[in-house]
DNA sequence: ACATTATTTAAGCAAATACTTAAATAATGT
DNA sequence: ACATTATTTAAGTATTTGCTTAAATAATGT
């Protein structure tokens, strides 16, 4: 008697707040692109190795696969494949120097990436 | 002649900065727990549906699986399984009212979760 | 030209993901 | 007691992920 939904809802509670539900749908819809991009970034950051790679690159300005392999104690191809994903997502870029390839954060994305680490205590001890 | 690494390194560049590499290792090591937790949270947020679920719960204070199913246009079991992961990770908690179960953000985690959405424009239009 | 080094690419595979449908729980109303 | 409703759980499955090892590219030095 209360229901005029054209779509068969799985939820039949009488007191379901249809207005609230509609508002929510609209908010999601308006920000759909943002959610897509954000979840893509978080999916990349959601891997321990990749999160550390991003952190290290951001913190050291640039690093090569070789160094990352040393630091993270993982094989070079494994690192390389992570770097490729980060590059495909336009989070990092490369600079070639001889046979070494340096990866760095794409400046546009620095904000988003720095956000990822605001709960990691900043090392003062870097001043070698 | 330069190398006294006990571990066979994959990287043999002469100019590899061993100090830098050591410093990086230590930073990672000191923050290992933080990285583990962070990547766990990002892995959860790295799914489009789950990111939206977190956003909606945070924004509406509490929601039930039923409403989320309506809003996100996905089956109730699918939603329920996402909620379980969020609960297992101690990001959300439940309140039971009759047969309805309301999910809300665990206050401790509000900071971390709000961080996830700082690039999503805040809807002023919520004032229904 | 040839060997070495840094990196990427490719192929293979075990594990994790995210859904599906069906069944099990549990609270409510008649 | 019984049917309905909200939710969870379980089992099955296709896809994705993240490594592995081996091979392919490309730059460097002799």
């Amino acid at each position: 008697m209360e229901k005029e939904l054209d779509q068969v809802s799985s939820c039949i509670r009488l007191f379901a707040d249809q207005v609230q539900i509609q508002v929510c749908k609209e908010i999601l819809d308006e920000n759909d692109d943002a959610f897509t991009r954000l979840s893509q970034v978080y999916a990349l950051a959601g891997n321990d190795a990749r999160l550390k790679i991003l952190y290290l690159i951001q913190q050291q300005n640039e690093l090569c696969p070789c160094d990352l392999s040393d630091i993270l104690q993982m094989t070079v191809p494994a690192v390389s494949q992570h770097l490729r994903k980060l590059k495909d997502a336009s989070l990092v870029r490369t600079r070639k120097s001889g046979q070494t390839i340096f990866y760095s954060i794409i400046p546009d994305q620095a904000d988003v990436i720095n956000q990822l680490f605001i709960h990691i205590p900043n090392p003062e001890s870097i001043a070698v």
Side-chain angles (χ1 to χ4, degrees), chain A residues 5 12 23 43 47-48 54 63 78 80 83 86 104 120:
Chain A
L5 298 171
I12 329 189
V23 169
N47 173 277
D48 198 67
L54 280 175
L63 282 170
S80 180
L83 287 169
L86 296 176
S104 59
I120 304 272

Side-chain angles (χ1 to χ4, degrees), chain A residues 26-110:
Chain A
E26 281 160 18
I27 294 171
L28 291 190
D29 208 51
E30 283 162 20
N31 296 292
D32 201 51
D33 290 349
F35 278 110
T36 300
R37 172 60 171 170
L38 266 190
S39 69
Q40 183 198 20
V41 171
Y42 292 141
L44 289 167
N47 173 277
D48 198 67
R50 244 167 2 229
L51 186 65
K52 288 173 179 170
I53 289 175
L54 280 175
Y55 178 80
L56 290 168
I57 292 178
Q58 161 261 341
Q59 209 230 271
Q60 302 287 318
N61 289 322
E62 57 178 17
L63 282 170
C64 61
C66 194
D67 285 343
L68 286 168
S69 162
D70 271 4
I71 298 167
L72 297 169
Q73 306 276 70
M74 52 195 297
T75 67
V76 173
V79 169
S80 180
Q81 282 158 26
H82 283 309
L83 287 169
R84 189 178 210 298
K85 291 187 182 184
L86 296 176
K87 197 178 180 189
D88 284 348
S90 299
L91 290 178
V92 303
R93 62 184 179 186
T94 54
R95 174 177 77 84
K96 199 168 194 173
S97 169
Q99 33 181 349
T100 305
I101 295 178
F102 290 100
Y103 282 78
S104 59
I105 302 295
I106 294 182
D108 305 31
Q109 308 295 310

